[in-house]
Amino acid sequence: MKFVIVKKIWVKSVLLATAGTVFPVVAHGQTSASVDDSADIIVTANRRAERLQDVPIAVNVLSTQALRSANVSDTQFLANLVPGLSITKTNSSQYFLRGIGTSSTTVNSEQSVAAYIDGVYVYTTYGSLSLANLERVEVLRGPQGTLFGRNTTGGVIQAVTRDPLAAPSLEGEIGYGNYRTVTGKFYGNVHLASNLGVSLAVDFRDQGRGYGFNRIANEATFFRDDVTARAKIAYEPTDNSTITAFFQYRHIKDSGINYIPIAGTRGLDGVDGSAYGRFDVRAEAKNAFRFDSYLGYLRVEQNVLDFARLTSITSYHDAQPLAHFDQDATPLNIVTAVQTLRYRNVSQEIQLASQGSTPLSWVVGAYYYNALATILPLDLTGSFTGAAGQLRYFRKQRSESIAGFWQLTYAFAPHSKITAGLRYTREEAKLPEGLYTLVGRDPNPMRLPFAADNQDSDGWTWRLALDHQFTGSIMGYVSWNRGLKSGGFTLSGATKLPGYSPESLDSYEGGLKMSFLNGRVRINPAAFLYKFRDIQYSVLTAGGSAITNAARATISGFDLDMGVKVSGRLELNSAFEYLHSRFDSFSNATFFIPVKAPGGGAVTLNNQNADGHSLPYAPKTSASFGFGYTAPLGGGDLRFDGTARYADDQFVGPSNLFVNPSYTLVSAGLGWTSGDRRLGVRLWADNLFDRNYSTQVFESAVGVFRIPGPPRTYGVTLSTKLF
């Protein structure tokens, strides 16, 4: 046994050393993207366009080619390209970056790793972002509490859409894969005038057959259909002003939550998980999920006296999830939930940012956010509800936030700069009078009201960084950042629970940005230490989750992202992360202890001590490797590319009793593009070796369950670019 453990550690060490040294690769996280020695990678991590190698922030940049090579068209699969990023998937997607994330599945609980489109905050707890037809994706590691102030204790995932005023383009692709999956993408932009551009982007997926089947409910399982349409208009009335309007519609339909007891534990029907197949669902009620969202923004930019640029960003987002799921996941009628939810928000941001190449650059602004999260209602049925037969919840939470911020960077010496930023946020969470109803055969069901409640909070977040250009190709930096995530109320539950407090995180980071051989080789290491306080911790309940605060945690680690353009034909990339996490103080944890007796399920133990335990979904090691090789063939280019991602064991709860086991996923593609770039064909495969892995393992009172990841998928894609 001792030899096996030593061997496992040795193998992981060799894999990481290989990923980190034998295969040096692209800029901080630019997986499978080309490293062009004549072009710089541009990011907007500081809300202005800057070279990646000049930004004193750990940023992963994923180009369109990177996403295409890994067959990633949605944020729910983004973890395949970004080490240290874990994404769990039930009806909702939860993002964990460097061990910081949100496990709650309540409609009013927003992500700790916030999503943005073109600088506009996007609610994604029950949805995801389409990553098709983009210019790039930026993943900012760590709290970004000054310029991206909305709930960014863990980091930011920002999608940057294409500019309608760029050169006109008309391109598209259509694909077909196993499980009768049809995919398509379209992008076109035209100039209606020299200063007026319009673009339209469409991305769709239709999976005709699921990976599994529920013979109890007689339905297909593990399938997903979605469509995203984006329209964008850019108008430049003068040389000094730009007006941009954007609208996005996103629709998702899938088979909902389909989970299976893990081996060695029993569901409430007493059947051990070892008796289940890989995609074997045995739920009595049908599972389904539907999500519709509408997002729009208006961005107005105007130069002010040639020294600054004034920007106004107004946005509206309406998200409407609907979920049906059998929470006990057995043939018994114990607890079934139907969630009818809605999340709406408006925001207004004003920025004034300096322009020009002066020693001092700055940005100052204000931000207003107003959101309404509603359960309309949550219906619970089954023996769990007792003689009434049905329990119905109506809940809502209104959140209002206002913030002011500034950030400046000053070059105090020829090769040294200091950055300082500060943000003050005032927030109010309101719980209007709510109620739940016991619904049975009685025509006058019992209605039990909850009194209104209110929670006010405020706080300062900041950024302080020092960077120095040691040589023309080596820049070093150190930084101290604080992030803050809003508090709120638990909306699901038969009893009114106290509100939960905001969580805060202090990040201490140091890193290098290094590029050599005219940018053909880039190496970007970073080390970090996190101090996490008032952690919002979620426990699954009937139809949702309850949130409380854990006291303190410490996370430390090391990132290394590298890339090299070996030649005009061959590109290599790799990245890895080492992470160490522990709860310093957590005396009110909830543990779930599986029942070994035939009755199954789990015993819930409250107020347990989790001091010294690892944080959930914080793998100790994770790594990725990718390559792209291009060769001339038949008057065009033949490209062979692939990616591999390794994730270590991940604890799934504060008890540290259960893990989501380690796994390695491999994707590959072989494609040909004509010399004029008008025609292309590509063969692709994901999970090439058909690895049996789980996107999530979770604990609850009804048992310990896994949600299996997709099996091997493969197909062909035809593409065209007319101009």
Side-chain angles (χ1 to χ4, degrees), residues 44 168 252 515 535 682:
T44 52
I252 300 172
S515 61
I535 306 158
R682 184 170 186 265

Side-chain angles (χ1 to χ4, degrees), residues 584-606:
D584 298 321
S585 177
F586 192 3
S587 60
N588 59 325
T590 299
F591 291 178
F592 296 99
I593 310 300
V595 176
K596 300 296 184 180
V603 176
T604 303
L605 301 178
N606 295 316

Side-chain angles (χ1 to χ4, degrees), residues 530-696:
Y530 287 173
K531 290 295 185 180
F532 203 8
R533 297 177 182 84
D534 295 321
I535 306 158
Q536 293 174 9
Y537 164 66
S538 174
V539 178
L540 289 177
T541 60
S545 56
I547 303 175
T548 57
N549 292 100
R552 297 189 305 275
T554 298
I555 303 174
S556 58
F558 176 75
D559 299 324
L560 181 60
D561 298 303
M562 302 183 291
V564 62
K565 187 171 184 178
V566 179
S567 66
R569 296 184 178 182
L570 178 62
E571 307 155 6
L572 301 175
N573 64 82
S574 72
F576 81 86
E577 180 176 279
Y578 171 81
L579 199 64
H580 179 266
S581 67
R582 71 173 186 275
F583 287 109
D584 298 321
S585 177
F586 192 3
S587 60
N588 59 325
T590 299
F591 291 178
F592 296 99
I593 310 300
V595 176
K596 300 296 184 180
V603 176
T604 303
L605 301 178
N606 295 316
N607 297 317
Q608 300 298 297
N609 191 336
D611 293 3
H613 290 198
S614 296
L615 271 68
Y617 293 98
K620 183 165 288 188
T621 56
S622 55
S624 67
F625 166 71
F627 73 93
Y629 179 78
T630 305
L633 178 68
D637 290 325
L638 182 70
R639 180 178 175 86
F640 179 39
D641 50 39
T643 60
R645 192 246 179 166
Y646 169 79
D648 207 348
D649 293 348
Q650 302 172 59
F651 290 110
V652 300
S655 68
N656 286 187
L657 292 176
F658 301 97
V659 299
N660 187 359
S662 64
Y663 59 87
T664 301
L665 300 178
V666 177
S667 299
L670 178 65
W672 179 85
T673 306
S674 62
D676 59 7
R677 324 310 290 175
R678 289 199 169 195
L679 295 175
V681 58
R682 184 170 186 265
L683 303 175
W684 56 268
D686 288 334
N687 194 3
L688 184 62
F689 300 107
D690 202 23
R691 178 63 191 270
N692 185 357
Y693 74 103
S694 298
T695 59
Q696 185 176 7

Side-chain angles (χ1 to χ4, degrees), residues 401-627:
S401 174
I402 188 167
F405 61 89
W406 60 263
Q407 181 170 297
L408 60 84
T409 299
Y410 178 61
F412 62 90
H415 303 291
S416 301
K417 293 183 292 184
I418 187 170
T419 299
L422 192 64
R423 186 184 191 105
Y424 175 75
T425 302
R426 174 74 179 176
E427 184 145 355
E428 183 179 30
K430 298 179 181 179
L431 186 70
E433 181 178 340
L435 56 88
Y436 72 86
T437 306
L438 297 176
V439 181
R441 296 181 179 179
D442 188 341
N444 299 304
M446 184 184 300
R447 300 169 65 87
L448 303 176
F450 286 153
D453 206 344
N454 200 66
Q455 179 173 272
D456 295 334
S457 63
D458 62 352
W460 295 91
T461 54
W462 57 76
R463 172 171 174 77
L464 184 63
L466 178 67
D467 65 87
H468 179 74
Q469 198 74 41
F470 293 99
T471 69
S473 58
I474 301 176
M475 185 266 281
Y477 68 91
V478 293
S479 66
W480 175 24
N481 298 271
R482 168 165 287 189
L484 191 68
K485 183 173 184 289
S486 307
F489 297 93
T490 295
L491 297 189
S492 59
T495 59
K496 181 181 175 183
L497 299 175
Y500 52 89
S501 303
E503 67 181 20
S504 65
L505 187 143
D506 284 292
S507 167
Y508 308 91
E509 183 172 310
L512 296 171
K513 299 288 185 76
M514 301 183 288
S515 61
F516 308 101
L517 301 178
N518 294 321
R520 295 168 65 88
V521 177
R522 295 189 177 98
I523 306 174
N524 294 337
F528 56 91
L529 173 66
Y530 287 173
K531 290 295 185 180
F532 203 8
R533 297 177 182 84
D534 295 321
I535 306 158
Q536 293 174 9
Y537 164 66
S538 174
V539 178
L540 289 177
T541 60
S545 56
I547 303 175
T548 57
N549 292 100
R552 297 189 305 275
T554 298
I555 303 174
S556 58
F558 176 75
D559 299 324
L560 181 60
D561 298 303
M562 302 183 291
V564 62
K565 187 171 184 178
V566 179
S567 66
R569 296 184 178 182
L570 178 62
E571 307 155 6
L572 301 175
N573 64 82
S574 72
F576 81 86
E577 180 176 279
Y578 171 81
L579 199 64
H580 179 266
S581 67
R582 71 173 186 275
F583 287 109
D584 298 321
S585 177
F586 192 3
S587 60
N588 59 325
T590 299
F591 291 178
F592 296 99
I593 310 300
V595 176
K596 300 296 184 180
V603 176
T604 303
L605 301 178
N606 295 316
N607 297 317
Q608 300 298 297
N609 191 336
D611 293 3
H613 290 198
S614 296
L615 271 68
Y617 293 98
K620 183 165 288 188
T621 56
S622 55
S624 67
F625 166 71
F627 73 93

Side-chain angles (χ1 to χ4, degrees), residues 78 89 141 148 173 499 557-558 678 693:
L78 194 58
K89 182 70 175 72
R141 297 173 178 268
F148 295 89
E173 64 180 51
F558 176 75
R678 289 199 169 195
Y693 74 103

Side-chain angles (χ1 to χ4, degrees), residues 317-337:
H317 189 204
D318 189 338
Q320 301 172 24
L322 174 63
H324 299 246
F325 57 100
D326 187 328
Q327 193 159 358
D328 59 273
T330 70
L332 305 178
N333 182 19
I334 298 175
V335 53
T336 300

Side-chain angles (χ1 to χ4, degrees), residues 34 63 97 106 121 184 192 216 230 242 316-317 325 344 467 486 537 591 607 665 685 707:
S34 67
S63 68
L97 188 58
T106 302
Y121 173 74
L192 303 181
I216 306 299
R230 296 188 182 111
T242 303
Y316 173 78
H317 189 204
F325 57 100
R344 290 175 290 173
D467 65 87
S486 307
Y537 164 66
F591 291 178
N607 297 317
L665 300 178
I707 298 178

